[in-house]
Amino acid sequence: MAGSKVKIWVGLGTYVLASSIGAAAWAESSKAEQHGKHGVQIAQATHGHGGEGGEGGEGGEAGSDALAGLDADQAYLANIAMIRGHLNVGNELYAKDRPDDALPHFLHPVEELYGELEGVIKEKSVSPFKADLDKLSGMVKRKASVSEVQAQTEVVLTRLTDATAAVPAAKQADPAFALPIVIGVLRTAADEYAAAFEGEVIANPVEYQDSLGFARVANASVELLTPALTAKDADAANMLRQEMNTLLQAWPSVVPQRKAAKNASEVSGIEFASARLR
């Protein structure tokens, strides 16, 4: 499995992210492949530009206080973003020939997030996609080939892109609407990161990986918003990018070392320069 290229759509609408698996190969691929029908693509280095985070303990991710204060559309998009984060790290682990490590990240979208979406899906007349998620996790359980898992992931991501389109694109592009979603996802990432610790060491890799996925997706959303943010307040936008890059150093790899790159307190209280940009 190792060495496979993983492509994950994340962020707002048609934003695209290439995971750190095969990033060099991705960068060398044709421009036609890199700019397909689903929008912009970014080759993501492990340390550089990541993006969303995890399981949220007994209450689950969607029930976390981290999303408190978001309106219905914002919470809907935040939960979809976290599904994308799970699929991002799940596919990376699967491509690294770690199917057992990958499986929780294919199960959590249904176990912890989809239930929060069902009411909005019905209200907005979005086609349900739980069956697609179940098919994907089933393939991981039976250890299907990487290409099969990635093909089904593409199906799910297409459904997620369709689901996000239920919220007007202009609304999604408005920093006043979008930044609270980013902050909510990052707060959830911080909660998951903290849950990965026992004392001073990382003892729960799943929580660590959840937080990494969420952080990556949030970062991708910030990158998509950067032109609008720069037009509003260039200094604050630059500060936000710098703080995101610093934050992402907490996850030097998808498989954690026991000694963390940053302690939990260094990944908490994520507010950035967002107040000036809304």
Side-chain angles (χ1 to χ4, degrees), residues 186 215 218-219 222 240-248 272:
L186 286 171
N219 181 69
V222 168
L240 177 59
R241 291 294 330 133
Q242 291 177 357
E243 291 181 343
M244 278 300 309
N245 289 336
T246 298
L247 173 70
L248 292 167
F272 305 110

Side-chain angles (χ1 to χ4, degrees), residues 79-141:
N79 287 322
I80 290 175
M82 289 190 285
I83 290 176
R84 288 173 169 139
H86 278 305
L87 299 182
N88 180 280
V89 295
N91 271 274
E92 181 171 352
L93 288 162
Y94 203 78
K96 286 181 176 291
D97 201 12
R98 304 178 74 101
D100 294 336
D101 294 340
L103 180 58
H105 305 293
F106 291 98
L107 293 173
H108 285 175
V110 170
E111 292 176 349
E112 302 202 353
L113 293 166
Y114 192 84
E116 295 293 320
L117 297 172
E118 287 183 304
V120 184
I121 284 173
K122 184 175 181 179
E123 176 187 330
K124 294 183 178 295
S125 299
V126 172
S127 296
F129 51 89
K130 180 178 179 292
D132 299 296
L133 288 166
D134 286 337
K135 180 178 179 179
L136 178 58
S137 62
M139 293 171 71
V140 173
K141 285 179 182 178

Side-chain angles (χ1 to χ4, degrees), residues 46-94:
T46 307
H47 293 242
H49 303 298
E52 253 180 79
E55 185 173 275
E58 293 299 322
E61 294 143 359
S64 169
D65 289 342
L67 302 186
L70 298 186
D71 67 24
D73 281 351
Q74 288 170 324
Y76 171 73
L77 293 176
N79 287 322
I80 290 175
M82 289 190 285
I83 290 176
R84 288 173 169 139
H86 278 305
L87 299 182
N88 180 280
V89 295
N91 271 274
E92 181 171 352
L93 288 162
Y94 203 78

Side-chain angles (χ1 to χ4, degrees), residues 192-259:
E192 300 300 327
Y193 189 77
F197 281 81
E198 282 186 9
E200 300 298 317
V201 300
I202 294 177
N204 189 325
V206 173
E207 303 285 7
Y208 167 95
Q209 289 152 356
D210 282 350
S211 66
L212 168 59
F214 296 164
R216 283 176 172 175
V217 176
N219 181 69
S221 296
V222 168
E223 291 193 344
L224 181 63
L225 288 165
T226 292
L229 298 176
T230 300
K232 187 175 184 66
D233 188 327
D235 288 342
N238 184 57
M239 185 184 303
L240 177 59
R241 291 294 330 133
Q242 291 177 357
E243 291 181 343
M244 278 300 309
N245 289 336
T246 298
L247 173 70
L248 292 167
Q249 294 170 10
W251 299 275
S253 65
V254 71
V255 179
Q257 301 295 316
R258 281 180 61 80
K259 181 173 173 55

Side-chain angles (χ1 to χ4, degrees), residues 2-24:
S4 296
K5 183 168 61 183
V6 178
K7 181 173 62 177
I8 299 294
W9 308 337
V10 295
L12 305 175
T14 58
Y15 202 61
V16 179
L17 171 70
S19 93
S20 56
I21 288 290

